[in-house]
Amino acid sequence: MVGLVIRKHIGTLITLVGLMLAMVALAGCDLETGTTAESLGPTATATAAVVATETAVPAPEDTATTAPPTATDLPTNTPEPVPTNTPEPLPTDTQVPPTETPQQSAPTATAVATAVTEPSTIKPTPTVSADDGATPEASPTEAAAAPAGEEKPGQMVNGKWYDAYVPAATKKKQYYHYTCEFDAAWVVLKSNGIDATLEDQINIVGLDTSIEPYYEETKDGIFIYGGDILHSYSGDYKENFLARSTGVSMRRVFEHYGLRVTPVHTQDDLQAALRRGELVWIKTTADFKPGKDSTWVMPDGTTYQTVLGNDHAAVVMGYSERGALIRDVLGPTSTNWERPYEYEVPWPKFLAAWGQQQNDGLAVGR
């Protein structure tokens, strides 16, 4: 009897263990859609109830599966691109050394850059003899005149480049040996279409005959005693080598004929006047050679710095880096048979001679 009871309990235990294993297997699997506890049948339901009451089986953890991260979700440790240290290109030397050509001048501190133009239409400038009133003929240089009053570009003249060039009339010789101020004025007037004789100019400027100029050499220098050259012409212009005047008095001639006159005392002012198309009347020395520094003493004691024996007047008609272009009425003489009516003077030589005459100059235009 006892054996029968033991076998009965063992059978019951085997059945319970089987049910418990079945429940565990079901709990760990996914049931098809629509499967419920009721669909498993009453036996399974009852068995489940018994197992639930007798043995508490822990519910499986909700271990929701998570999709493995994709490549795009993973943090990237790719470093930022390392900037290349390619050096900046070294600057190239764009400074082209200037070529020495007569066609164009290098710009100076004040010099204005000018555009190169084709040579102007050739027009002869008049050449008139003071003595015989000859028919005008071509001057040594030939270039078209440009209206005054505004800056003009440079140009080529007779194969040479000038930053400014103003055609000037040519007078074959002076009225007299010591009338250079009036002869230079004649060039400026004639170039502006005005005819004026020596007598016309003298009547405008006037002659100071209060004292015939003479000079003395002393330990303190050379002194020339004469008339008021700031307001008139002083001396015998036919015989006295000391006879002369200044720009202060000569400007009245140009103003008398309605021309615009501007005093010029520096290289910059002179060049600017030429670029405007204005001729420049100047006091200088003959052939631009050094003169003997002298002091002119006027009747009232006023003094004026000048030179002794080579006092002269001329006209500046152009310039370039080479120097100033001069119209000189003096022409060939016994002191220089080869002196032309037009020539260039290097800047150092020009400025030295002009400086000995107190940089006396007049820019004249319309």
Side-chain angles (χ1 to χ4, degrees):
M1 186 72 175
V2 174
L4 181 63
V5 172
I6 294 171
R7 286 195 298 269
K8 184 179 180 180
H9 282 290
I10 293 172
T12 301
L13 287 173
I14 292 172
T15 300
L16 288 173
V17 170
L19 286 174
M20 290 177 64
L21 292 174
M23 289 298 293
V24 170
L26 287 173
C29 299
D30 290 330
L31 298 178
E32 293 181 0
T33 305
T35 301
T36 62
E38 289 77 8
S39 66
L40 296 177
T43 303
T45 303
T47 303
V50 173
V51 173
T53 55
E54 293 184 2
T55 305
V57 179
E61 295 181 1
D62 186 10
T63 55
T65 58
T66 303
T70 62
T72 56
D73 295 329
L74 296 175
T76 58
N77 295 323
T78 304
E80 293 294 325
V82 178
T84 59
N85 294 324
T86 304
E88 293 294 327
L90 295 176
T92 57
D93 185 6
T94 57
Q95 297 180 355
V96 180
T99 55
E100 295 183 1
T101 62
Q103 282 74 25
Q104 189 169 0
S105 65
T108 61
T110 57
V112 176
T114 55
V116 177
T117 60
E118 292 297 322
S120 306
T121 303
I122 296 176
K123 293 183 181 179
T125 50
T127 300
V128 178
S129 170
D131 298 329
D132 55 19
T135 303
E137 60 190 42
S139 67
T141 57
E142 297 177 332
E150 60 183 26
E151 291 196 359
K152 312 298 187 304
Q155 60 181 304
M156 291 285 291
V157 181
N158 292 342
K160 291 185 177 182
W161 172 260
Y162 292 94
D163 294 313
Y165 176 87
V166 185
T170 301
K171 191 170 180 286
K172 286 189 174 180
K173 60 181 179 180
Q174 296 185 175
Y175 292 113
Y176 295 96
H177 198 66
Y178 306 116
T179 57
C180 57
E181 288 93 344
F182 300 112
D183 296 293
W186 181 95
V187 170
V188 175
L189 294 170
K190 189 67 176 180
S191 300
N192 282 279
I194 299 170
D195 288 305
T197 65
L198 173 62
E199 290 72 21
D200 292 334
Q201 295 187 58
I202 289 177
N203 288 336
I204 296 169
V205 175
L207 293 177
D208 185 342
T209 59
S210 61
I211 181 173
E212 189 62 30
Y214 67 94
Y215 76 96
E216 294 180 351
E217 285 194 67
T218 71
K219 61 180 179 63
D220 296 321
I222 301 174
F223 294 89
I224 306 172
Y225 298 91
D228 184 357
I229 56 176
L230 296 179
H231 296 90
S232 58
Y233 186 95
S234 174
D236 183 348
Y237 53 78
K238 295 181 181 180
E239 301 292 341
N240 193 340
F241 77 97
L242 295 173
R244 68 194 65 184
S245 185
T246 64
V248 178
S249 58
M250 290 300 299
R251 69 176 297 165
R252 296 206 303 272
V253 172
F254 305 122
E255 291 173 338
H256 176 84
Y257 291 102
L259 298 177
R260 182 180 66 252
V261 181
T262 306
V264 171
H265 302 298
T266 68
Q267 180 180 354
D268 287 345
D269 290 342
L270 182 145
Q271 292 176 343
L274 292 167
R275 291 195 301 270
R276 294 194 302 267
E278 299 174 356
L279 294 171
V280 182
W281 179 101
I282 63 167
K283 286 299 295 287
T284 180
T285 61
D287 297 328
F288 290 84
K289 293 181 177 179
K292 289 186 177 181
D293 290 327
S294 304
T295 302
W296 185 282
V297 183
M298 302 176 212
D300 65 356
T302 301
T303 60
Y304 187 88
Q305 297 305 306
T306 183
V307 292
L308 181 62
N310 56 348
D311 171 84
H312 192 46
V315 176
V316 185
M317 57 185 295
Y319 79 91
S320 70
E321 64 178 351
R322 300 180 302 275
L325 181 64
I326 306 299
R327 169 70 80 237
D328 192 344
V329 176
L330 185 57
T333 66
S334 58
T335 59
N336 186 356
W337 291 113
E338 297 180 355
R339 182 188 297 110
Y341 291 103
E342 181 178 321
Y343 53 87
E344 293 183 355
V345 181
W347 283 118
K349 185 175 182 180
F350 173 88
L351 294 173
W354 190 29
Q356 283 198 294
Q357 294 281 44
Q358 297 197 40
N359 296 96
D360 191 358
L362 302 171
V364 184
R366 290 192 175 278

